[in-house]
Amino acid sequence: KQEVTQIPAALSVPEGENLVLNCSFTDSAIYNLQWFRQDPGKGLTSLLLIQSSQREQTSGRLNASLDKSSGRSTLYIAASQPGDSATYLCAVETSGSRLTFGEGTQLTVNP
Amino acid sequence: DTGVSQDPRHKITKRGQNVTFRCDPISEHNRLYWYRQTLGQGPEFLTYFQNEAQLEKSRLLSDRFSAERPKGSFSTLEIQRTEQGDSAMYLCASGLAGVETQYFGPGTRLLVL
């Protein structure tokens, strides 16, 4: 059974810091890995999708890497802003198109 | 707005009552997914449809839960004889077969008293 773990569970940083969120998964037989953002009480917004054959994806200040063999991914956020405050969720797609999510990292960026 | 919509956004019910939620996917999307998210946890997969066919169901989907997508467009999720443990956010997502990205709706938050 695929299990996804995210570390840390919560993170508080001052504005302008660069930060790294970590995700690990137990079964390397994945189709892709995705990072989502969730604001309080809201749905999920897709940030980055990395195919299983890829090593990284970049979008603006966000960079996600994937090491499938070791079952790890990182999300790097450069020059953090208060508007980045949200919960960040990592999810892997396995058979049947189902996504298996981690519990999330709650990020607070202080002005 | 052409995103995924869900109705209602909030539902409070008493234990033992039946509730039904609706999801309207992005119009050209042939796949529709239901997830459940409890407080402080990530979403958990419940079921998904390709067109009107229900292709996979999680073991989380007990006999009290039923989902339909009769015409391959909108979907409904019904919970019968609700229990307090059913209190959660129910999320719907849609996508295209062969394209991995799933687009999520705002969710329906259910509170069972």
Side-chain angles (χ1 to χ4, degrees), chain B residues 75-86:
Chain B
S75 175
T76 58
L77 177 68
E78 181 183 17
I79 308 174
Q80 296 182 328
R81 305 181 302 282
T82 52
E83 301 173 356
Q84 288 183 325
D86 297 331

Side-chain angles (χ1 to χ4, degrees), chain A residues 1 32 34 36 38 41-44 49 51 89 93 96-99 101-103, chain B residues 31 33 35 37 40-43 45 48 56 59 89 91 100-102 104-106:
Chain A
K1 176 189 172 188
N32 60 65
Q34 300 179 54
F36 292 88
Q38 186 173 33
K42 302 288 181 62
L44 280 64
L49 183 152
Q51 300 285 359
L89 292 157
E93 180 178 344
S97 295
R98 65 164 64 191
L99 292 177
F101 285 84
E103 296 183 347
Chain B
R31 285 195 172 170
Y33 308 81
Y35 293 84
Q37 185 178 26
Q41 303 294 313
F45 171 83
Y48 93 95
E56 189 174 352
R59 58 179 173 78
M89 173 82 88
L91 293 162
E100 292 86 356
T101 303
Q102 295 182 20
F104 282 78

Side-chain angles (χ1 to χ4, degrees), chain B residues 29-92:
Chain B
H29 286 180
N30 53 4
R31 285 195 172 170
L32 187 147
Y33 308 81
W34 285 100
Y35 293 84
R36 181 175 71 185
Q37 185 178 26
T38 53
L39 203 60
Q41 303 294 313
E44 295 174 292
F45 171 83
L46 293 178
T47 188
Y48 93 95
F49 293 83
Q50 182 157 317
N51 300 314
E52 64 274 12
Q54 189 172 19
L55 295 187
E56 189 174 352
K57 294 197 299 186
S58 163
R59 58 179 173 78
L60 294 175
L61 215 63
S62 75
D63 291 345
R64 297 184 298 105
F65 288 70
S66 63
E68 295 183 344
R69 193 182 184 200
K71 297 182 180 179
S73 57
F74 72 91
S75 175
T76 58
L77 177 68
E78 181 183 17
I79 308 174
Q80 296 182 328
R81 305 181 302 282
T82 52
E83 301 173 356
Q84 288 183 325
D86 297 331
S87 296
M89 173 82 88
Y90 290 83
L91 293 162
C92 174

